[in-house]
Amino acid sequence: MKVSSNLKIISLIAFALFFCPANVFLAIPFVGACALFIRHISTKEGFKKVELDKKSVLLSMAMNLLLLFIFIFRWNTVIGLIPTVFIFRWNTVIGLIPTVLGGLILTVTGSLAIPVVTALYGHEAKASVSSDTKLTIPEHLVALVFSFLIITITSSSSPLIAVNQINDPNCLLTVGRGLIHGKIVYRDLIEQKGPILYLINAIGALITPYDFKGVWLMEVIACDIFIVTASKIQKLLSGKKDLITTILIGTLTFVVYSCRCFAYGNTAEEFSIPCIAIALYLCIRCIAEAKIDFKSTVIVGICTAVIFWIKYTICGAIVGIALFILGYLIKRKDFKTLLRTILGVLTGFAIVSLPVIIFFAANHALNDLKEVYFISNIFKYNMGGEADDPVYKLLNPLLMLFLYGAENFHLILMFVIGQIYLSRKSKSVTIMTSIAFVTCFFFAFISSKSYPYYAFVLTPFTIVSWAPISELISENTKKKNAARYAIVIALALITCAASVSESRNREQIGIAKDDYPTYHLSQIIKESDDRSLICYGFLDRGFYTYTETDPDVKYFTYLNADSEHILSVQSAYIATGNYKYIITEYAPVNFEGYELIATDKSPIEDIDYYLYRRIDD
């Protein structure tokens, strides 16, 4: 069917508004990029002649209707919307009417956008993938500079933040420090994540045992690997090979790392995404070249094992890729390649996993590994109430897609852009990445309870969209001169500055260390020769780190798995009277033989802390 050029442009504008961020600082570069793209595509030869078929328009509208739910979640507060999902409330429903109507208008109006773009590029020759994806030394330097900048601004481990008071990073560093001091995770110190994540923190603790500068460097390295791999994927797909492209990749990485789901850094998701990105790069290259080599399969196996031993629920992306490769090779009846692929992946997996198993076996801790990392996480994590309902667990990923897709809208936007772009490069790769995205999200959120940082695992799926953005920038800045670089660098800086407004750590930059309860109460404890300490009923906020002590008990911190048992064991520790200090949060607790000596309040959260000291005769 024929559609006028004006209607096509209106549809593109409506589709762009569908994803426009609510943050005014991010909206400005977003609108600028969309205007540049619409101008670019509307002046392209063949734009006026593009005809659409009804089937593609209907499919586009169906996808938009799904995205409509994310739109509604994003433009209404979570507190106001969740009751609408579970409990019928007239006042909440009425409040949603303007958002729903506005979203429906954009849904229908923007339904032509994707068919227009795909039809326009569909009759162009499909570009083959590039075989040369090596980065030059200047490109590596740009990637490293961006890595330092990104982690320094977005992570709670940053030297710009006086005290890291975030719970999970502190628990990880405490266990990592325990490893270098001879303790074995799960046997001597109970924590829930995978052993490789503690190994990463142990390396950080070797550099700086009682602050986060070492962990900060480990995050910088992980970010650099991600940017380098993202640049390789971009080169693989677009063939663009200049320094400006690497600057663009660094800028977009800054945008993604500034999102809400990055949380505070030093998470399992953060250290896993370089491995997912590497696996995606190798698999896209193998499928596009119709050649699966043994070396690539071994590397994918290594990446899979690293992810598995960091946090096995993050393996969803690899599961999706594996399902596609299995079907792809079976369909081609290439069973020889299938067997070689399975052997390669298993070989890579064994290279990482065997040392892990041998380490725990040599330290008589295999059973502890099984009980804590597997059984406890699977059967005891956040149990009780609706959490025990298997139907709730299965539906949770769908609800979380709307919720966290709304909070981190650009992850969904970039994924959609990437899939449209891939559709003209390789149908097989498009299907593979789509399956991997679904399984990745499903595995990450099939749980009784979900946390915002789980969504960060979707970050590698944004990389594909950076190739068409690179092409767009290159086509609109063809003259390679100093002015061109100056404009690109200025735009990159503006975009990064705008992204900082979304970072969850920005509020901590500039707070003096004396204003943190972790530092203040730790200084009181350090005045004593006996620094023995129990953090009762809450996740450690850094008290072991900033008092420069190591816990000598298994349950040094509260966990979300087997919580009642942990509290009873901690109470037994306290009853022995062997510990000089106790710290609680939120509310005071009466402990026999102890007196309350200090209180303090977090400068970034509504949490009070209470310090108790043993009453010695």
Side-chain angles (χ1 to χ4, degrees), residues 260-263 404 407-408 445 450-456 504:
R260 304 297 292 173
C261 62
F262 178 77
Y404 294 128
E407 283 191 351
N408 309 281
F445 287 95
S450 302
Y451 296 96
Y453 58 84
Y454 289 4
F456 194 64
R504 298 178 72 174

Side-chain angles (χ1 to χ4, degrees), residues 153 161 260 500-510:
I153 296 296
I161 296 175
R260 304 297 292 173
V500 172
S501 63
E502 287 291 295
S503 173
R504 298 178 72 174
N505 287 293
R506 72 187 188 283
E507 60 187 8
Q508 296 187 70
I509 298 176

Side-chain angles (χ1 to χ4, degrees), residues 444-564:
F445 287 95
I446 184 170
S447 174
S448 55
K449 188 173 182 180
S450 302
Y451 296 96
Y453 58 84
Y454 289 4
F456 194 64
V457 75
L458 298 176
T459 298
F461 295 99
T462 66
I463 295 174
V464 175
S465 71
W466 302 353
I469 296 173
S470 172
E471 288 185 4
L472 178 64
I473 295 294
S474 296
E475 287 187 22
N476 283 272
T477 54
K478 290 182 178 178
K479 293 182 179 180
K480 296 183 178 181
N481 51 38
R484 176 179 181 248
Y485 280 98
I487 292 171
V488 170
I489 291 172
L491 289 173
L493 290 173
I494 292 170
T495 303
C496 291
S499 299
V500 172
S501 63
E502 287 291 295
S503 173
R504 298 178 72 174
N505 287 293
R506 72 187 188 283
E507 60 187 8
Q508 296 187 70
I509 298 176
I511 298 177
K513 61 182 179 181
D514 293 322
D515 293 332
Y516 286 95
T518 300
Y519 182 80
H520 170 222
L521 300 182
S522 293
Q523 290 302 107
I524 295 174
I525 295 172
K526 287 177 71 174
E527 293 173 359
S528 173
D529 293 333
D530 183 359
R531 300 180 188 177
S532 55
L533 168 69
I534 291 290
C535 293
Y536 178 77
F538 71 100
L539 286 160
D540 174 36
R541 296 278 184 167
F543 292 103
Y544 294 107
T545 295
Y546 292 101
T547 56
E548 299 184 5
T549 60
D550 290 332
D552 59 356
V553 293
K554 276 187 175 185
Y555 294 106
F556 71 97
T557 188
Y558 180 83
L559 299 174
N560 291 320
D562 209 11
S563 306
E564 292 184 6

Side-chain angles (χ1 to χ4, degrees), residues 320-391:
I321 292 172
L323 289 173
F324 173 81
I325 297 293
L326 179 65
Y328 175 79
L329 293 176
I330 290 175
K331 184 178 180 181
R332 295 176 61 184
K333 296 181 180 180
D334 191 351
F335 298 108
K336 183 179 179 180
T337 302
L338 177 60
L339 290 174
R340 188 172 64 246
T341 300
I342 293 172
L343 178 62
V345 171
L346 290 177
T347 301
F349 194 88
I351 288 172
V352 175
S353 299
L354 284 178
V356 173
I357 299 299
I358 292 170
F359 172 80
F360 281 97
N363 287 282
H364 308 288
L366 265 180
N367 190 60
D368 299 289
L369 170 66
K370 179 190 73 174
E371 289 294 326
V372 179
Y373 187 49
F374 294 104
I375 294 177
S376 181
N377 277 325
I378 294 171
F379 298 106
K380 299 179 181 179
Y381 190 78
N382 276 320
M383 300 307 291
E386 64 183 7
D388 296 322
D389 184 358
V391 176

